[in-house]
Structure formats: structure tokens, C-alpha cells
Amino acid sequence: MLLDQNALAGRTVLLTGASRGIGAVTARALSGANANVIAQYRTQRYGAERAVETLPDDQKLLIQAELGTPAAARDLWRSALCWGRPIDVLVLNAAVNPDTPVDGPDEVWDAGWQEALQVNVIGAGALMREAVRYFAARGSGTIIVLSSWAAEQGSRIADLTSYAASKAAIRNLAQTFARNYARQGLRVYVLAPGVVNAGMAIAGQDDSAQQAVADGLAMGRMVEADEVASLVAFLATDACPSLTGATLDVNGASYIR
């Protein structure tokens, strides 16, 4: 999906998890459409810098922030507003995917669930709430939530239960906000990618392992990160507001509902 190079000119996007994976590719797509980009990262500043390197200095802001607590999420929102530009779009991309082994030690299970819920639901939910109140008061604004196909069908990997459940929870919260604030000009879109060839989906896998995963998918390949990023950029234009509340599947027919 190719956008005009000025499709997002004048619009300011707060993107979480901008330093790598889908987030970094999305940052580049937003930059290519001439958005103002506020790129949040946790530890990898260099990756975030690279992701927005094509933008002039006055169109980008990098913010180091944790998202594991509501307070940290609210601090991120306030820091973003301090840039002095009205925020038009929030893209909730940052997430964790901890192991929660069914047959492992209790403390590993408990810690994995705690981390997934804190970052993917509680922190992300607090940030979304800040955006909802801001956008509703202004009368316009867009939220794009990166969920997962695992949120729709459960995880296919038994030891990654917390990730699937957390992504289902944040999707449900997004739908609730979409339903209740549509008349105030809020647009909320949820993306549910399948296996993407970037970030957590391929972390630690060599080429042969990645190919084995791809061979098991309907298209015989993973979802390209560029496909997800370009869809995020399109939704950020608010060109189709009646899509608000929708969950868009991006999985190459590997899961059809």
C-alpha cells in the first residue's frame, strides 16, 4: 500500500516500540508519509534514531520510556505533549512476549504473566486512556493497536499463553473505547498480524527455523513487516473512519474467521 509522500503531513504520531521489529518499520513508513513522529523506545536509542533518520530534526522526537506501569505510561504521554505539537495518532506497538511454561517452575509462570499484563495491558491501557480523554476533548484522534492473531484463536504455542491473553485484553479495551467514544471523533483500529518476519516472531531463529515456520503457513511465507507498517500509515490518515472498532486480520489466510 503506497501513500502519497505527504499523506500524513502535519499529523503527529506517537509510536511506542519504535526501535526494532514492526515498530521500526512502521516509523519508517510514517516518516515516508511526512508525519511528525514521536518515537518511544525502552533501551535501544540507536534503533529508534535509525527508524526516523529520514525526517528533519523538527519533525521527530525520541523519548526513552518504560511502559510497565501506569505512571510510566502517563509520563510518556505528558512528555509527548510537551513537544508542543497536538498529537493526532497513538500507535500502541510495544509489547513483551515472556515464556510462561506450563510445566515450568511456578515462579517463572507467575513472573511471565505479571510482565505480560503489566506492559501489554496495564501500561498500554493507561496510555490508551490518556489518548482517549485527550482526543475526546478535542473532538478527533486516532488510536491504532497492534494485537495478534493469537488474540483471536489462542496461542499455538502452549508456553506463550500470557502473550495471547494480554493481546486479547488490550483488543477488548480498544473496542470498548471505540464503541463509547465514536461520536466524540475517536477512531480506534486493531491490527491482528500473523507471523511477521521481524521482531519477536523470529527472535532467536536461524534461517532454517524461519523457513520451517513459513512452510506451515497458507501462503508459504511470513507476513512482511512492511505490509503491517503500510496499513498502520494508511489508518493514521483517517481516510476510512467507518472502520473504527474493526479488527483487521493480516495473516495471509492462515487464520480465517
Side-chain angles (χ1 to χ4, degrees):
M1 185 183 301
L2 297 177
L3 295 180
D4 181 89
Q5 63 181 1
N6 288 310
L8 293 172
R11 291 178 70 77
T12 298
V13 182
L14 170 56
L15 167 66
T16 67
S19 64
R20 59 181 180 173
I22 294 173
V25 180
T26 298
R28 295 186 185 101
L30 296 171
S31 299
N34 204 22
N36 304 313
V37 179
I38 304 172
Q40 179 270 339
Y41 67 96
R42 187 171 68 89
T43 59
Q44 299 184 10
R45 181 179 177 88
Y46 177 71
E49 289 175 342
R50 287 287 305 276
V52 294
E53 63 184 356
T54 62
L55 286 175
D57 289 343
D58 64 349
Q59 281 186 237
K60 60 189 176 187
L61 175 68
L62 273 62
I63 301 179
Q64 190 284 324
E66 298 283 342
L67 291 175
T69 68
R74 294 182 189 113
D75 284 345
L76 169 60
W77 183 258
R78 285 190 283 267
S79 296
L81 287 177
C82 284
W83 195 25
R85 299 173 185 266
I87 298 173
D88 301 292
V89 182
L90 168 64
V91 181
L92 278 173
N93 165 71
V96 295
N97 186 14
D99 286 336
T100 47
V102 177
D103 294 324
D106 290 346
E107 56 269 23
V108 176
W109 170 273
D110 294 346
W113 273 90
Q114 183 70 28
E115 182 183 12
L117 292 176
Q118 284 294 136
V119 176
N120 298 355
V121 182
I122 298 174
L127 184 58
M128 198 187 328
R129 174 175 176 254
E130 292 300 306
V132 166
R133 296 194 297 182
Y134 174 84
F135 292 150
R138 191 179 65 177
S140 66
T142 299
I143 298 173
I144 303 167
V145 176
L146 272 293
S147 182
S148 169
W149 71 337
E152 308 299 321
Q153 59 177 323
S155 177
R156 299 186 181 196
I157 303 172
D159 289 347
L160 298 179
T161 52
S162 64
Y163 177 78
S166 67
K167 285 298 188 178
I170 199 66
R171 178 206 65 203
N172 188 276
L173 179 60
Q175 291 169 328
T176 298
F177 283 143
R179 181 187 299 274
N180 285 278
Y181 289 91
R183 294 195 181 191
Q184 284 93 323
L186 178 67
R187 312 297 179 223
V188 186
Y189 312 107
V190 179
L191 301 189
V195 184
V196 180
N197 66 346
M200 292 185 296
I202 60 172
Q205 296 182 4
D206 59 21
D207 290 344
S208 61
Q210 292 180 38
Q211 188 58 53
V213 173
D215 288 342
L217 300 173
M219 291 183 70
R221 67 167 179 84
M222 298 182 190
V223 177
E224 297 288 337
D226 285 336
E227 296 178 85
V228 179
S230 63
L231 184 53
V232 171
F234 168 73
L235 294 172
T237 67
D238 198 30
C240 191
S242 293
L243 270 177
T244 189
T247 297
L248 305 180
D249 294 319
V250 191
N251 63 55
S254 288
Y255 176 65
I256 299 174
R257 57 191 172 94

